[in-house]
Amino acid sequence: EADIYQTPRYLVIGTGKKITLECSQTMGHDKMYWYQQDPGMELHLIHYSYGVNSTEKGDLSSESTVSRIRTEHFPLTLESARPSHTSQYLCASGGIAGREYQETQYFGPGTRLLVL
Amino acid sequence: KNQVEQSPQSLIILEGKNCTLQCNYTVSPFSNLRWYKQDTGRGPVSLTIMTFSENTKSNGRYTATLDADTKQSSLHITASQLSDSASYICVVSDRGSTLGRLYFGRGTQLTVWP
């Protein structure tokens, strides 16, 4: 079982609210990722980080922001939630610098977000 | 356009039976291919990872094959169990960047009935 945690697991919130989805890993991985997944659809990368103070946008345009102040922590923030943000958000970590061929991403359990 | 296509979209089998899931990809340049198992409401868990030089890899009752020439992979599940009910996701990584960008299939939803 991977040591990567996400909170909350489920969140129902009203439109316009600010929310932060938490993600922590205790494996010392440099690389961390946020994915968005709708039911029956593929995962889409929305943000990633190579290490502390490194953040990049992924393939899918997202109105969320991330920060990486500590290696183990990679929170995702929505400043103003909208119904279109309703989805499952998966955090992952993995990667050893210089050994990308062997990289395995470990996923957290996900946060299911419903914006009313 | 880099893509990963999986078939079938869903599959129902009886407990104890074998099944094979397919993955075709157009990702180039190719780095590696992974199969993940995702239980409902959970994050994906890695089953196998194969580079271009490997054509088969096993993990218990799961056996993955890779044909890098035809850009096809399969995941064979032997003697299925109820706990195998999940979505199986094929993920292909390219060598286009140090990130090793990942391309996800939509998954095959497997249901095992008693």
Coordinates of all heavy atoms in Angstrom, one line a residue, chain A residues 20-101:
Chain A
T20 N -9.6 23.8 -0.8 CA -8.2 23.3 -0.9 C -8.3 21.8 -0.7 O -8.8 21.3 0.3 CB -7.3 23.9 0.1 OG1 -7.1 25.3 -0.2 CG2 -5.9 23.2 -0.1
L21 N -7.8 21.0 -1.7 CA -7.7 19.6 -1.6 C -6.2 19.2 -1.2 O -5.3 19.7 -1.8 CB -8.0 18.9 -3.0 CG -9.3 19.3 -3.6 CD1 -9.5 18.5 -4.9 CD2 -10.5 19.2 -2.7
E22 N -6.2 18.4 -0.1 CA -4.8 18.2 0.4 C -4.3 16.8 -0.1 O -5.0 15.9 -0.4 CB -4.9 18.1 1.9 CG -5.4 19.3 2.6 CD -4.4 20.4 2.6 OE1 -3.3 20.2 2.3 OE2 -4.8 21.6 3.0
C23 N -3.0 16.8 -0.3 CA -2.3 15.6 -0.7 C -0.9 15.6 0.0 O -0.1 16.5 -0.1 CB -2.1 15.6 -2.2 SG -1.1 14.2 -2.8
S24 N -0.6 14.4 0.6 CA 0.6 14.3 1.3 C 1.2 12.9 1.0 O 0.4 11.9 0.9 CB 0.5 14.4 2.8 OG 0.1 15.7 3.1
Q25 N 2.5 12.8 0.9 CA 3.2 11.5 0.7 C 4.4 11.4 1.6 O 5.1 12.4 1.8 CB 3.6 11.3 -0.8 CG 4.3 12.4 -1.5 CD 5.8 12.2 -1.5 OE1 6.3 11.1 -1.1 NE2 6.6 13.2 -2.0
T26 N 4.6 10.2 2.0 CA 5.7 10.0 3.0 C 6.9 9.2 2.4 O 7.7 8.6 3.1 CB 5.2 9.3 4.3 OG1 4.6 8.1 3.9 CG2 4.2 10.2 5.0
M27 N 6.9 9.1 1.1 CA 7.9 8.3 0.4 C 9.1 9.1 -0.1 O 10.0 8.5 -0.7 CB 7.2 7.6 -0.8 CG 6.1 6.6 -0.4 SD 5.1 5.9 -1.7 CE 4.1 7.3 -2.1
G28 N 9.1 10.4 0.2 CA 10.2 11.2 -0.2 C 10.3 11.4 -1.7 O 11.4 11.8 -2.2
H29 N 9.2 11.2 -2.5 CA 9.3 11.4 -3.9 C 9.4 12.9 -4.3 O 8.8 13.7 -3.6 CB 8.0 10.9 -4.5 CG 7.9 9.4 -4.5 ND1 6.8 8.7 -4.5 CD2 8.9 8.4 -4.5 CE1 7.0 7.4 -4.5 NE2 8.3 7.2 -4.5
D30 N 10.2 13.1 -5.3 CA 10.4 14.5 -5.8 C 9.2 14.9 -6.6 O 8.7 16.0 -6.5 CB 11.6 14.7 -6.6 CG 12.9 14.6 -5.7 OD1 12.9 15.1 -4.6 OD2 13.9 14.0 -6.2
K31 N 8.7 14.0 -7.4 CA 7.6 14.3 -8.4 C 6.3 14.1 -7.8 O 6.0 13.0 -7.2 CB 7.8 13.5 -9.7 CG 9.1 13.8 -10.4 CD 9.1 13.0 -11.7 CE 10.4 13.2 -12.5 NZ 10.5 12.3 -13.7
M32 N 5.4 15.0 -8.0 CA 4.0 14.9 -7.6 C 3.1 15.4 -8.6 O 3.5 16.3 -9.4 CB 3.7 15.6 -6.2 CG 4.5 14.9 -5.1 SD 4.0 15.6 -3.4 CE 2.4 14.8 -3.2
Y33 N 1.9 14.8 -8.7 CA 1.0 15.1 -9.8 C -0.5 15.3 -9.3 O -0.9 14.7 -8.3 CB 1.0 14.0 -10.8 CG 2.3 13.5 -11.2 CD1 3.1 12.6 -10.4 CD2 2.9 13.9 -12.4 CE1 4.3 12.1 -10.8 CE2 4.1 13.5 -12.8 CZ 4.8 12.6 -12.0 OH 6.1 12.1 -12.4
W34 N -1.3 16.1 -10.0 CA -2.7 16.1 -9.8 C -3.4 15.7 -11.1 O -3.1 16.3 -12.2 CB -3.2 17.5 -9.4 CG -3.1 17.7 -7.9 CD1 -2.2 18.5 -7.3 CD2 -4.0 17.2 -6.9 NE1 -2.4 18.5 -5.9 CE2 -3.5 17.7 -5.7 CE3 -5.1 16.4 -6.9 CZ2 -4.2 17.4 -4.5 CZ3 -5.8 16.2 -5.8 CH2 -5.3 16.7 -4.5
Y35 N -4.3 14.8 -11.0 CA -5.1 14.4 -12.2 C -6.6 14.6 -11.9 O -7.0 14.6 -10.8 CB -4.9 12.9 -12.4 CG -3.6 12.5 -12.9 CD1 -2.6 12.1 -12.0 CD2 -3.2 12.4 -14.3 CE1 -1.3 11.7 -12.4 CE2 -2.0 12.1 -14.7 CZ -1.0 11.7 -13.8 OH 0.2 11.3 -14.2
Q36 N -7.3 14.8 -13.0 CA -8.8 14.9 -12.9 C -9.4 13.8 -13.7 O -8.9 13.5 -14.8 CB -9.3 16.3 -13.5 CG -10.7 16.5 -13.3 CD -11.1 17.9 -13.8 OE1 -10.3 18.8 -13.9 NE2 -12.4 18.1 -14.0
Q37 N -10.4 13.1 -13.1 CA -11.0 12.0 -13.8 C -12.5 12.0 -13.6 O -13.0 12.0 -12.5 CB -10.4 10.6 -13.2 CG -11.0 9.4 -13.9 CD -10.5 8.1 -13.2 OE1 -10.3 8.0 -12.0 NE2 -10.3 7.1 -14.1
D38 N -13.2 12.1 -14.8 CA -14.6 11.9 -14.8 C -15.0 10.5 -14.9 O -14.2 9.7 -15.5 CB -15.2 12.8 -15.9 CG -15.0 14.3 -15.7 OD1 -15.1 14.7 -14.5 OD2 -14.7 15.0 -16.6
P39 N -16.2 10.1 -14.5 CA -16.6 8.7 -14.5 C -16.5 8.1 -15.9 O -17.0 8.6 -16.9 CB -18.1 8.7 -14.1 CG -18.1 9.9 -13.2 CD -17.2 10.9 -13.9
G40 N -15.8 6.9 -16.0 CA -15.6 6.2 -17.3 C -14.7 6.9 -18.3 O -14.6 6.4 -19.4
M41 N -14.0 7.9 -17.8 CA -13.1 8.6 -18.7 C -11.6 8.4 -18.2 O -11.4 8.0 -17.1 CB -13.5 10.1 -18.8 CG -14.9 10.3 -19.2 SD -15.2 9.8 -20.9 CE -14.3 11.1 -21.8
E42 N -10.7 8.8 -19.1 CA -9.3 8.7 -18.8 C -8.9 9.8 -17.8 O -9.5 10.8 -17.7 CB -8.4 8.8 -20.0 CG -8.5 10.1 -20.8 CD -9.5 10.1 -21.9 OE1 -10.7 9.6 -21.6 OE2 -9.2 10.5 -23.0
L43 N -7.8 9.6 -17.2 CA -7.2 10.6 -16.3 C -6.6 11.7 -17.1 O -5.9 11.4 -18.1 CB -6.1 10.0 -15.4 CG -6.5 9.2 -14.1 CD1 -7.1 7.9 -14.5 CD2 -5.4 9.0 -13.2
H44 N -6.7 12.9 -16.6 CA -6.1 14.1 -17.3 C -5.2 14.8 -16.3 O -5.6 15.1 -15.2 CB -7.2 15.0 -17.8 CG -8.0 14.5 -19.0 ND1 -7.4 14.4 -20.3 CD2 -9.2 14.0 -19.1 CE1 -8.3 13.9 -21.1 NE2 -9.4 13.6 -20.4
L45 N -4.0 15.0 -16.7 CA -3.0 15.7 -15.9 C -3.3 17.2 -15.8 O -3.4 17.9 -16.9 CB -1.6 15.5 -16.4 CG -0.4 16.1 -15.7 CD1 -0.3 15.5 -14.3 CD2 0.9 16.0 -16.5
I46 N -3.5 17.7 -14.6 CA -3.8 19.2 -14.5 C -2.6 20.0 -13.9 O -2.4 21.1 -14.2 CB -5.1 19.4 -13.7 CG1 -5.1 18.7 -12.4 CG2 -6.3 19.0 -14.6 CD1 -6.3 19.0 -11.5
H47 N -1.8 19.4 -13.0 CA -0.7 20.0 -12.5 C 0.4 19.0 -12.1 O 0.1 17.8 -11.8 CB -1.0 20.8 -11.2 CG -2.0 21.9 -11.4 ND1 -1.6 23.1 -11.9 CD2 -3.3 22.0 -11.1 CE1 -2.6 23.9 -11.9 NE2 -3.7 23.3 -11.4
Y48 N 1.7 19.4 -12.1 CA 2.7 18.5 -11.7 C 3.8 19.4 -11.1 O 3.9 20.6 -11.3 CB 3.2 17.6 -12.8 CG 3.8 18.3 -14.0 CD1 5.2 18.5 -14.1 CD2 3.0 18.6 -15.0 CE1 5.7 19.0 -15.2 CE2 3.5 19.2 -16.2 CZ 4.9 19.4 -16.3 OH 5.4 20.0 -17.4
S49 N 4.7 18.7 -10.3 CA 5.8 19.3 -9.7 C 7.0 18.4 -9.7 O 6.9 17.2 -9.4 CB 5.4 19.7 -8.2 OG 6.5 20.1 -7.5
Y50 N 8.2 19.0 -10.0 CA 9.4 18.2 -9.9 C 10.1 18.2 -8.5 O 11.0 17.4 -8.3 CB 10.4 18.8 -10.9 CG 10.1 18.5 -12.4 CD1 10.1 19.5 -13.3 CD2 9.9 17.2 -12.8 CE1 9.9 19.3 -14.6 CE2 9.6 16.9 -14.1 CZ 9.6 18.0 -15.0 OH 9.3 17.7 -16.4
G51 N 9.6 19.2 -7.7 CA 10.2 19.3 -6.4 C 9.8 20.6 -5.7 O 8.9 21.3 -6.3
V52 N 10.4 20.9 -4.6 CA 10.0 22.1 -3.8 C 10.1 23.3 -4.7 O 11.1 23.5 -5.4 CB 10.9 22.2 -2.6 CG1 10.6 23.5 -1.9 CG2 10.6 21.0 -1.6
N53 N 9.1 24.2 -4.7 CA 9.1 25.4 -5.4 C 9.0 25.2 -6.9 O 9.2 26.2 -7.7 CB 10.3 26.3 -5.1 CG 10.3 26.8 -3.6 OD1 9.2 27.0 -3.1 ND2 11.4 26.9 -3.0
S54 N 8.7 24.0 -7.4 CA 8.5 23.7 -8.8 C 7.0 23.3 -9.0 O 6.6 22.4 -8.4 CB 9.4 22.6 -9.2 OG 8.9 21.9 -10.3
T55 N 6.3 24.1 -9.9 CA 5.0 23.7 -10.3 C 4.8 24.0 -11.7 O 5.3 25.0 -12.2 CB 3.9 24.4 -9.4 OG1 4.0 25.8 -9.7 CG2 4.0 24.1 -8.0
E56 N 4.1 23.1 -12.4 CA 3.8 23.3 -13.8 C 2.3 22.9 -14.1 O 1.8 22.0 -13.4 CB 4.7 22.4 -14.7 CG 6.2 22.6 -14.5 CD 6.7 23.9 -15.1 OE1 5.9 24.5 -16.0 OE2 7.8 24.4 -14.8
K57 N 1.8 23.5 -15.2 CA 0.4 23.1 -15.6 C 0.5 21.9 -16.5 O 1.5 21.7 -17.2 CB -0.2 24.3 -16.4 CG -0.6 25.5 -15.5 CD -1.4 26.5 -16.2 CE -1.9 27.6 -15.3 NZ -2.8 27.2 -14.3
G58 N -0.5 21.1 -16.4 CA -0.5 19.9 -17.2 C -1.2 20.0 -18.5 O -1.3 21.2 -19.1
D59 N -1.8 18.9 -19.0 CA -2.4 19.0 -20.4 C -3.8 19.6 -20.3 O -4.2 20.2 -21.3 CB -2.5 17.5 -20.9 CG -1.2 16.8 -20.9 OD1 -0.2 17.5 -21.4 OD2 -1.1 15.6 -20.5
L60 N -4.5 19.4 -19.3 CA -5.9 19.9 -19.2 C -5.9 21.2 -18.5 O -5.4 21.4 -17.5 CB -6.7 18.9 -18.4 CG -8.2 19.1 -18.3 CD1 -8.9 19.0 -19.7 CD2 -8.9 18.2 -17.3
S61 N -6.6 22.2 -19.2 CA -6.7 23.5 -18.7 C -7.5 23.4 -17.4 O -8.5 22.8 -17.3 CB -7.4 24.4 -19.7 OG -7.6 25.7 -19.1
S62 N -7.0 24.0 -16.4 CA -7.7 24.0 -15.1 C -7.6 25.4 -14.4 O -6.7 26.1 -14.6 CB -7.0 23.0 -14.2 OG -7.5 23.0 -12.9
E63 N -8.7 25.7 -13.7 CA -8.7 27.0 -13.0 C -8.2 26.8 -11.6 O -8.2 27.8 -10.8 CB -10.2 27.5 -13.0 CG -10.7 27.8 -14.3 CD -12.2 28.0 -14.4 OE1 -12.9 27.6 -13.4 OE2 -12.7 28.5 -15.4
S64 N -7.6 25.7 -11.3 CA -7.0 25.5 -10.0 C -5.6 25.9 -9.9 O -4.9 26.1 -11.0 CB -7.1 24.0 -9.6 OG -6.5 23.2 -10.6
T65 N -5.0 26.0 -8.7 CA -3.6 26.4 -8.6 C -3.0 25.4 -7.6 O -3.8 24.8 -6.8 CB -3.4 27.8 -8.0 OG1 -4.1 27.9 -6.8 CG2 -3.9 28.8 -9.0
V66 N -1.7 25.2 -7.6 CA -1.1 24.3 -6.7 C 0.2 25.0 -6.1 O 0.6 26.1 -6.6 CB -0.6 23.0 -7.4 CG1 -1.8 22.2 -7.8 CG2 0.3 23.3 -8.6
S67 N 0.7 24.4 -5.0 CA 1.9 24.9 -4.4 C 2.7 23.8 -3.9 O 2.2 22.7 -3.6 CB 1.6 25.9 -3.2 OG 0.9 25.2 -2.2
R68 N 4.0 23.9 -3.8 CA 4.9 22.9 -3.3 C 6.0 23.5 -2.5 O 7.1 23.8 -2.9 CB 5.6 22.2 -4.5 CG 6.3 20.9 -4.1 CD 5.4 19.7 -4.1 NE 6.1 18.5 -3.6 CZ 6.8 17.7 -4.4 NH1 7.0 18.0 -5.7 NH2 7.3 16.6 -4.0
I69 N 5.6 23.8 -1.2 CA 6.5 24.4 -0.3 C 7.3 23.4 0.5 O 8.4 23.6 0.9 CB 5.7 25.3 0.7 CG1 4.9 26.4 0.0 CG2 6.6 25.9 1.8 CD1 4.0 27.2 0.9
R70 N 6.7 22.2 0.6 CA 7.4 21.0 1.3 C 7.4 19.8 0.3 O 6.4 19.7 -0.4 CB 6.8 20.7 2.6 CG 6.7 21.8 3.6 CD 6.5 21.3 5.0 NE 5.5 20.3 5.1 CZ 4.2 20.5 5.4 NH1 3.8 21.7 5.6 NH2 3.4 19.5 5.5
T71 N 8.4 19.0 0.4 CA 8.5 17.8 -0.5 C 7.3 17.0 -0.4 O 6.7 16.4 -1.4 CB 9.7 17.0 -0.2 OG1 10.9 17.8 -0.4 CG2 9.8 15.8 -1.0
E72 N 6.8 16.8 0.8 CA 5.7 15.8 1.1 C 4.3 16.3 0.8 O 3.4 15.6 0.9 CB 5.8 15.3 2.5 CG 5.6 16.3 3.6 CD 6.9 17.0 4.0 OE1 7.9 17.0 3.2 OE2 6.9 17.6 5.1
H73 N 4.2 17.6 0.5 CA 2.8 18.2 0.5 C 2.6 18.9 -0.8 O 3.4 19.7 -1.2 CB 2.8 19.2 1.7 CG 1.4 19.6 2.0 ND1 1.1 20.9 2.5 CD2 0.2 19.0 2.0 CE1 -0.2 21.0 2.7 NE2 -0.8 19.8 2.4
F74 N 1.4 18.7 -1.4 CA 1.1 19.2 -2.7 C -0.4 19.6 -2.8 O -1.1 18.9 -3.5 CB 1.5 18.2 -3.8 CG 1.5 18.8 -5.2 CD1 2.0 20.0 -5.5 CD2 1.1 18.0 -6.3 CE1 2.1 20.5 -6.8 CE2 1.1 18.4 -7.6 CZ 1.6 19.7 -7.9
P75 N -0.8 20.6 -2.2 CA -2.2 21.0 -2.1 C -2.7 21.6 -3.4 O -1.9 22.3 -4.1 CB -2.3 22.0 -0.9 CG -1.0 22.6 -0.9 CD 0.0 21.5 -1.3
L76 N -4.0 21.4 -3.7 CA -4.6 22.0 -4.9 C -5.7 22.9 -4.4 O -6.5 22.5 -3.6 CB -5.1 20.9 -5.8 CG -5.8 21.3 -7.1 CD1 -5.5 20.3 -8.2 CD2 -7.3 21.4 -6.9
T77 N -5.8 24.1 -5.0 CA -6.8 25.1 -4.5 C -7.6 25.6 -5.7 O -7.1 25.9 -6.8 CB -6.1 26.3 -3.9 OG1 -5.3 25.9 -2.7 CG2 -7.1 27.4 -3.4
L78 N -8.9 25.6 -5.4 CA -9.9 26.3 -6.3 C -10.4 27.5 -5.6 O -11.0 27.5 -4.6 CB -11.1 25.3 -6.6 CG -10.9 24.3 -7.7 CD1 -12.0 23.3 -7.6 CD2 -10.9 24.9 -9.1
E79 N -10.1 28.7 -6.2 CA -10.5 30.0 -5.6 C -12.0 30.2 -5.5 O -12.5 30.7 -4.6 CB -9.8 31.1 -6.3 CG -8.3 31.2 -6.2 CD -7.9 31.5 -4.7 OE1 -8.6 32.1 -4.0 OE2 -6.8 31.1 -4.4
S80 N -12.7 29.7 -6.6 CA -14.1 29.9 -6.7 C -14.7 28.7 -7.4 O -14.7 28.6 -8.6 CB -14.4 31.2 -7.4 OG -15.8 31.4 -7.5
A81 N -15.2 27.8 -6.6 CA -15.8 26.5 -7.2 C -17.0 26.7 -8.0 O -17.8 27.6 -7.7 CB -16.1 25.5 -6.1
R82 N -17.1 26.0 -9.1 CA -18.2 26.0 -10.0 C -18.7 24.6 -10.3 O -17.9 23.6 -10.1 CB -17.9 26.7 -11.3 CG -17.5 28.1 -11.3 CD -17.8 28.8 -12.6 NE -17.2 28.2 -13.7 CZ -16.0 28.6 -14.2 NH1 -15.4 29.6 -13.6 NH2 -15.5 28.0 -15.2
P83 N -20.0 24.4 -10.7 CA -20.5 23.1 -11.0 C -19.6 22.3 -12.0 O -19.5 21.1 -11.9 CB -21.9 23.3 -11.5 CG -22.3 24.6 -10.8 CD -21.1 25.4 -10.7
S84 N -19.0 23.0 -12.9 CA -18.1 22.4 -13.9 C -16.9 21.7 -13.3 O -16.2 21.0 -13.9 CB -17.7 23.4 -15.0 OG -17.0 24.4 -14.4
H85 N -16.6 22.1 -12.0 CA -15.4 21.5 -11.3 C -15.8 20.2 -10.7 O -14.9 19.5 -10.1 CB -14.9 22.5 -10.3 CG -14.4 23.7 -10.8 ND1 -14.6 25.0 -10.2 CD2 -13.6 24.0 -11.9 CE1 -14.0 25.9 -10.9 NE2 -13.4 25.4 -11.9
T86 N -17.0 19.8 -10.8 CA -17.4 18.5 -10.2 C -16.7 17.4 -10.9 O -16.8 17.2 -12.1 CB -18.9 18.3 -10.3 OG1 -19.6 19.3 -9.5 CG2 -19.3 16.9 -9.9
S87 N -16.0 16.6 -10.1 CA -15.1 15.5 -10.7 C -14.4 14.8 -9.6 O -14.6 15.1 -8.4 CB -14.1 16.1 -11.7 OG -13.4 15.1 -12.4
Q88 N -13.6 13.8 -10.0 CA -12.7 13.1 -9.0 C -11.3 13.7 -9.3 O -10.9 13.7 -10.4 CB -12.7 11.6 -9.1 CG -11.7 11.0 -8.2 CD -11.9 9.5 -8.1 OE1 -12.1 8.9 -7.1 NE2 -11.7 8.8 -9.3
Y89 N -10.6 14.0 -8.2 CA -9.3 14.5 -8.3 C -8.3 13.5 -7.6 O -8.5 13.2 -6.4 CB -9.2 15.9 -7.6 CG -10.0 17.0 -8.3 CD1 -11.3 17.1 -8.1 CD2 -9.4 17.8 -9.3 CE1 -12.1 18.0 -8.8 CE2 -10.1 18.7 -10.0 CZ -11.5 18.8 -9.8 OH -12.2 19.7 -10.5
L90 N -7.4 13.1 -8.4 CA -6.4 12.1 -7.9 C -5.0 12.7 -7.8 O -4.5 13.3 -8.8 CB -6.3 10.9 -8.9 CG -7.6 10.0 -8.9 CD1 -7.6 9.1 -10.1 CD2 -7.6 9.1 -7.6
C91 N -4.4 12.5 -6.7 CA -3.0 13.0 -6.5 C -2.1 11.8 -6.6 O -2.5 10.6 -6.3 CB -2.9 13.6 -5.1 SG -1.2 14.1 -4.7
A92 N -0.9 12.0 -7.2 CA 0.0 10.9 -7.4 C 1.5 11.4 -7.1 O 1.7 12.6 -7.2 CB 0.0 10.3 -8.8
S93 N 2.3 10.5 -6.7 CA 3.7 10.8 -6.6 C 4.6 9.7 -7.1 O 4.1 8.6 -7.3 CB 4.1 11.1 -5.1 OG 4.2 9.8 -4.4
G94 N 5.8 10.0 -7.4 CA 6.7 9.0 -8.0 C 7.9 9.5 -8.6 O 8.0 10.8 -8.8
G95 N 8.8 8.7 -9.0 CA 9.9 9.2 -9.8 C 11.1 9.3 -9.1 O 11.2 9.9 -8.0
I96 N 12.2 8.8 -9.6 CA 13.5 9.0 -9.1 C 14.3 9.7 -10.2 O 14.3 9.2 -11.4 CB 14.2 7.6 -8.8 CG1 13.3 6.9 -7.7 CG2 15.6 7.8 -8.3 CD1 13.8 5.5 -7.5
A97 N 14.9 10.8 -9.9 CA 15.6 11.6 -10.9 C 16.6 10.7 -11.7 O 17.4 10.0 -11.0 CB 16.3 12.8 -10.3
G98 N 16.5 10.7 -13.0 CA 17.4 9.9 -13.8 C 17.0 8.5 -14.0 O 17.7 7.8 -14.8
R99 N 15.9 8.1 -13.4 CA 15.4 6.7 -13.6 C 14.0 6.7 -14.0 O 13.2 6.0 -13.5 CB 15.6 6.0 -12.3 CG 17.1 5.8 -11.9 CD 17.2 5.1 -10.6 NE 16.6 3.8 -10.5 CZ 16.5 3.0 -9.4 NH1 17.0 3.5 -8.3 NH2 16.0 1.9 -9.4
E100 N 13.6 7.6 -15.0 CA 12.3 7.8 -15.4 C 11.7 6.5 -16.0 O 10.6 6.2 -16.0 CB 12.1 8.9 -16.4 CG 12.1 10.3 -15.7 CD 13.5 10.8 -15.3 OE1 14.4 10.2 -15.7 OE2 13.5 11.8 -14.6
Y101 N 12.6 5.7 -16.6 CA 12.2 4.4 -17.2 C 11.5 3.5 -16.2 O 10.7 2.7 -16.5 CB 13.3 3.7 -17.9 CG 13.6 4.1 -19.3 CD1 13.9 5.5 -19.6 CD2 13.7 3.2 -20.3 CE1 14.2 5.9 -20.9 CE2 13.9 3.6 -21.6 CZ 14.2 5.0 -21.9 OH 14.5 5.4 -23.1

